[in-house]
Amino acid sequence: MGVVLICACLLQVLLPLGAPRVEAQPASPARALDAALQDYAYRALARPHTGIVYDATVPANLTGIAASALRLRSGSLRRRGLAAYFEFAMPTGVLVQPHVERVVLVYHNLGNWSGYYYPLPGYTYLAPVLGLMVYDAANLSAVGLPDLTIVASGRPILVNFRNVRAVPPGGPAPRCVWFDLDGVPQFRDLEATNVCSTYRRGHFSIVVNSSEIAPAPAPAPSGTASPPTPTAGGRAKGNSNAWKIGVSVVGGTIALGLLASIMLCCVRHKREKKLEAMERNAEVGETLRMAQIGRSQAPVASGTRTQPVIESEYVA
């Protein structure tokens, strides 16, 4: 019985190692791009000065996308605002949540990649998608940082778009679109010509309902590969799944070894039960007398024999 309990304990401990793991849902292309651009922007901050804009260098497979970084004090941003950070104008009263001493504002311009990372069926982009993301500036060598929230407590943040495509006469009115971190779009009216407003960070553009106009052909991006996702060391990782295959092989080997151990335990258990049964039967049977034969002891049957009967005794 003890062998069975030991096998059961081994099964509970080792079997999860060979079971397939449930992988987390992969990040969307837009969120992977945010993480990559944060890494490239932070690399540009080698020896940063507060209030100076540093342009990031992106890899060749992201040609057409621009990113920049600007380090500021949270208190200065709240008290003074930011008159012009590319197309963004931030008024006074902008709060950072959760509060940190310094922040890095990372600017995105997705250019002709806008429709790839932020597809919007039924609408045509009149301007590229612009992004404004906020991160903690405490560690400028970190990657994969969580983004911070900014809230304009008074006047809204204005986005003044440049090089906006014109809508044909008689066409529908253009509208602003804001994408949250999940990529969900929200439409709003323009504040002024080519100007949108927001109270939070995110990605923004100007679009028009394409079902009411003949859309112009959009420029094709230079490639369709998704951006590499930065690792903790600041390097981009590929799409290799070698480590997953290795884990599966090791898990399968452990599972096979576990099954073999369980089968061996069962065979030993049956053998022990059989020996116990034989010993019990020997104890309840007839006891044989032991006799010395040569140099060893051996059981000897009883000397009682069937008594002979004379044939004449049967004659009456």
Side-chain angles (χ1 to χ4, degrees), residues 72 124 132 145 201 271 280-281 283 289 295:
L72 294 173
T124 299
L132 180 64
L145 291 174
R201 49 90 173 98
R271 184 179 300 174
R280 286 197 300 269
N281 292 335
E283 292 175 358
R289 184 171 59 87
R295 297 181 178 180

Side-chain angles (χ1 to χ4, degrees), residues 4-5 31 46-47 68 117 154 209 212 259 271 307 311:
V4 177
L5 293 176
R31 292 298 290 157
R47 296 179 179 177
S68 300
Y117 287 103
N209 193 329
E212 301 180 17
L259 291 177
R271 184 179 300 174
Q307 297 296 326
E311 292 182 358

Side-chain angles (χ1 to χ4, degrees), residues 104-188:
V104 174
L105 305 181
V106 177
Y107 165 82
H108 301 169
N109 186 329
L110 302 191
N112 53 2
W113 291 86
S114 299
Y116 175 79
Y117 287 103
Y118 292 93
L120 201 59
Y123 289 85
T124 299
Y125 282 104
L126 301 180
V129 171
L130 305 178
L132 180 64
M133 305 297 292
V134 185
Y135 302 96
D136 189 357
N139 184 4
L140 297 181
S141 61
V143 295
L145 291 174
D147 41 59
L148 305 177
T149 299
I150 56 173
V151 179
S153 59
R155 293 175 296 149
I157 301 170
L158 299 181
V159 188
N160 191 353
F161 289 89
R162 309 166 186 171
N163 303 322
V164 180
R165 290 168 48 193
V167 179
R175 304 197 67 190
C176 297
V177 61
W178 167 62
F179 296 94
D180 62 15
L181 296 184
D182 295 325
V184 178
Q186 295 185 20
F187 298 93
R188 300 171 181 171

Side-chain angles (χ1 to χ4, degrees), residues 44-60:
L45 299 173
R47 296 179 179 177
H49 295 278
T50 301
I52 302 299
V53 177
Y54 295 87
D55 295 330
T57 301
V58 299

